[in-house]
Amino acid sequence: AQSVTQLGSHVSVSEGALVLLRCNYSSSVPPYLFWYVQYPNQGLQLLLKYTSAATLVKGINGFEAEFKKSETSFHLTKPSAHMSDAAEYFCAVSDKYGNKLVFGAGTILRVKS
Amino acid sequence: EAGVVQSPRYKIIEKKQPVAFWCNPISGHNTLYWYRQNLGQGPELLIRYENEEAVDDSQLPKDRFSAERLKGVDSTLKIQPAELGDSAVYLCASSPPLVEGANGELFFGEGSRLTVL
């Protein structure tokens, strides 16, 4: 069975500050890992994904995440937050076939001016 | 290219009433998913279709929920009768054919928000 734990249901940062959203996973098979973003009243869209190639993955809008097997983590970072980054972020895990994507509970990011 | 289209966007009904949600996936995407997202939680899979076949419906509450995907394109999710606990956002997603090592991106619609009074 696979599962994801996102630490912190709400994160608040100042504009220009580092964004760090934490995700830990549990998987009995080599995982594929994803970060999705959901803006208000919109569907989820893919930010980035790890599929067993490079452990540091770059995504859209300046976000990146690093797969650390020893820590079973896949934290999402961005060096400098923008107001437009305010949204809810979901970490998710699947097997290599992508049959069943399991989502975390989400982290709401607030960016203060 | 059009994205995943869902309707209605919002629905308010009284408990014990039926409700149906419709989804039109991205053209060429043979895999279609229905997820339920409760307030403050991540989406949870209800059912996954490969073309017309429901290949994973283990999380679908079959006593009151049903789904169909006739002709392997559009899909409908039905709840009858609705209960208070069914209030949630119902998300439809689609993806191109799953291939080992080259998969993972689901394309989501905007969701159908259900309120059961």
Side-chain angles (χ1 to χ4, degrees):
Chain A
Q2 297 175 304
S3 66
V4 167
T5 302
Q6 292 185 239
L7 300 176
S9 58
H10 293 77
V11 170
S12 183
V13 301
S14 298
E15 193 172 19
L18 171 71
V19 175
L20 171 61
L21 304 183
R22 300 178 186 274
C23 172
N24 287 90
Y25 70 90
S26 174
S27 178
S28 57
V29 298
Y32 280 17
L33 294 158
F34 309 83
W35 277 98
Y36 280 81
V37 60
Q38 186 175 32
Y39 298 102
N41 297 315
Q42 295 186 27
L44 283 77
Q45 57 182 282
L46 184 69
L47 266 183
L48 50 80
K49 63 181 179 182
Y50 164 77
T51 56
S52 75
T55 56
L56 182 62
V57 181
K58 295 186 183 299
I60 61 173
N61 301 334
F63 284 93
E64 63 181 37
E66 185 172 9
F67 172 69
K68 291 187 177 180
K69 184 178 179 180
S70 61
E71 299 177 7
T72 61
S73 69
F74 190 58
H75 301 330
L76 182 70
T77 61
K78 182 174 180 177
S80 176
H82 294 170
M83 297 297 291
S84 60
D85 295 327
E88 189 162 17
Y89 293 80
F90 293 93
C91 184
V93 62
S94 78
D95 61 19
K96 62 183 178 181
Y97 299 102
N99 287 337
K100 199 166 197 173
L101 199 60
V102 177
F103 286 88
T107 298
I108 295 174
L109 176 65
R110 178 188 171 212
V111 181
K112 300 175 292 185
S113 59
Chain B
E1 180 181 321
V4 176
V5 179
Q6 291 187 246
S7 68
R9 289 293 312 279
Y10 304 92
K11 188 74 174 180
I12 301 174
I13 61 172
E14 294 189 346
K15 62 181 181 182
K16 300 185 181 180
Q17 294 299 306
V19 64
F21 304 110
W22 174 81
C23 173
N24 181 244
I26 292 173
S27 177
H29 284 192
N30 65 319
T31 306
L32 184 145
Y33 311 76
W34 283 103
Y35 280 84
R36 176 170 60 189
Q37 185 176 16
N38 293 313
L39 188 64
Q41 298 180 25
E44 296 177 324
L45 180 67
L46 291 174
I47 189 168
R48 176 170 67 93
Y49 282 94
E50 297 286 345
N51 300 306
E52 308 85 9
E53 183 182 1
V55 295
D56 184 355
D57 63 356
S58 57
Q59 302 301 312
L60 189 72
K62 298 180 183 62
D63 57 336
R64 297 182 301 105
F65 285 66
S66 65
E68 60 182 13
R69 191 183 184 197
L70 301 176
K71 300 182 181 179
V73 182
D74 296 2
S75 177
T76 302
L77 177 70
K78 298 178 181 178
I79 308 174
Q80 182 171 11
E83 297 179 352
L84 296 177
D86 296 331
S87 295
V89 177
Y90 292 84
L91 296 167
C92 180
S94 68
S95 66
L98 296 176
V99 177
E100 178 183 340
N103 62 62
E105 182 169 6
L106 271 60
F107 296 80
F108 284 84
E110 294 180 322
S112 295
R113 182 178 296 276
L114 173 65
T115 301
V116 182
L117 302 176

